[in-house]
Amino acid sequence: MRRSHTAIVTAPKEEKKEEKKAEKVHPLEKAKKDIEKALKPLHELKQVQDLEKKLGLTTLGLLIVSLIIVLWFILLTFNVKGAFLSDLFCYSYPSYHSLVAINKKKDHDLWLSYWIIFGFMKFLENAGEILLRVLPFYYLTKVVFIVWLIAPQSQGAVALHQIMLKHWVTMVDTVLPKKPEKKEEKKEETASLSAVTQNQASQRWSYVRSSIKR
């Protein structure tokens, strides 16, 4: 009887302790746990798990990033701070990958071509700033075009370089005056010419000597 009585007494004490622990939990942590429970069916999808592994994010983090991207595209579509939001992507992502290309010494053609094309685009934007405010979906179209330029699958910047920029450089080279040759290069050319003339003279003299002996 005593054992049963002590068990009945200790049981409500343990329940009270658990209730106090639950009360001590921060509201944000509780909300986070509730959200994770709600996102559990989404986490079980294979595509979501693959994205989490590639990006190193949780399901909640992946959802937040997705919402930010969707909000960013909505703001671009309705031209709410379109210039700032488009340039935020057009500068930040290519700048990082340009630094990586310098360190690893690869993909130079892609990023050099990109910055040339992007600089020309910014020049046109500054020239026709009033028209750009009137054009619908300009900044969204700009971002889609930039993605095409820098995507590894398309590499549009390299394609445009081969189609347009390469021929434009050759045209400019034909118009611009050529640089004067350096004195050292001239000295090397004169030295090579004098060596050739000496060889020719020695060959002729040897031919004359052989003909005289005959």
Side-chain angles (χ1 to χ4, degrees):
M1 292 293 288
R2 287 181 181 177
R3 288 181 182 176
S4 61
H5 180 70
T6 52
I8 293 164
V9 172
T10 54
K13 286 183 179 180
E14 290 177 356
E15 288 178 359
K16 287 180 181 179
K17 285 180 181 179
E18 289 178 358
E19 287 177 359
K20 286 180 180 179
K21 286 180 180 178
E23 287 176 358
K24 288 180 181 179
V25 175
H26 199 274
L28 289 174
E29 291 181 1
K30 191 177 179 183
K32 187 180 177 182
K33 287 179 180 179
D34 292 337
I35 292 167
E36 286 176 353
K37 285 180 182 178
L39 294 174
K40 198 172 182 180
L42 186 65
H43 176 70
E44 291 175 355
L45 294 172
K46 190 179 179 182
Q47 293 84 357
V48 175
Q49 290 177 2
D50 293 337
L51 279 172
E52 288 175 2
K53 287 178 182 178
K54 285 181 181 178
L55 301 174
L57 296 171
T58 60
T59 309
L60 180 61
L62 189 64
L63 182 65
I64 291 168
V65 170
S66 302
L67 289 173
I68 290 168
I69 292 170
V70 170
L71 179 63
W72 183 64
F73 271 105
I74 290 169
L75 293 173
L76 279 176
T77 304
F78 293 101
N79 199 7
V80 180
K81 298 288 182 181
F84 170 74
L85 291 172
S86 61
D87 286 342
L88 182 66
F89 171 74
C90 297
Y91 279 110
S92 58
Y93 184 84
S95 297
Y96 169 74
H97 282 278
S98 297
L99 291 172
V100 172
I102 292 168
N103 292 330
K104 292 185 177 180
K105 295 181 180 180
K106 65 176 186 178
D107 294 335
H108 291 161
D109 295 340
L110 174 64
W111 297 111
L112 284 172
S113 303
Y114 167 78
W115 287 115
I116 293 166
I117 295 164
F118 181 68
F120 184 68
M121 285 176 64
K122 291 300 291 181
F123 172 75
L124 293 177
E125 283 183 6
N126 293 327
E129 189 176 358
I130 299 167
L131 291 172
L132 295 179
R133 292 176 184 175
V134 181
L135 287 172
F137 310 119
Y138 168 74
Y139 293 108
L140 183 62
T141 308
K142 174 186 171 182
V143 170
V144 173
F145 177 68
I146 293 296
V147 170
W148 177 76
L149 286 177
I150 62 178
Q153 292 81 8
S154 58
Q155 290 193 351
V158 178
L160 285 178
H161 175 261
Q162 295 294 329
I163 295 167
M164 295 173 60
L165 299 177
K166 196 174 182 181
H167 302 291
W168 180 75
V169 171
T170 53
M171 287 172 63
V172 172
D173 285 338
T174 55
V175 174
L176 291 175
K178 293 182 179 179
K179 292 181 180 180
E181 294 179 352
K182 295 180 180 179
K183 291 181 180 181
E184 293 179 357
E185 292 177 354
K186 286 183 178 181
K187 286 180 181 179
E188 290 178 357
E189 287 181 359
T190 52
S192 61
L193 286 170
S194 62
V196 169
T197 52
Q198 286 177 2
N199 289 327
Q200 288 178 352
S202 62
Q203 287 176 0
R204 288 176 183 176
W205 176 246
S206 61
Y207 177 75
V208 171
R209 287 177 66 184
S210 63
S211 60
I212 290 168
K213 286 179 181 180
R214 290 175 185 175

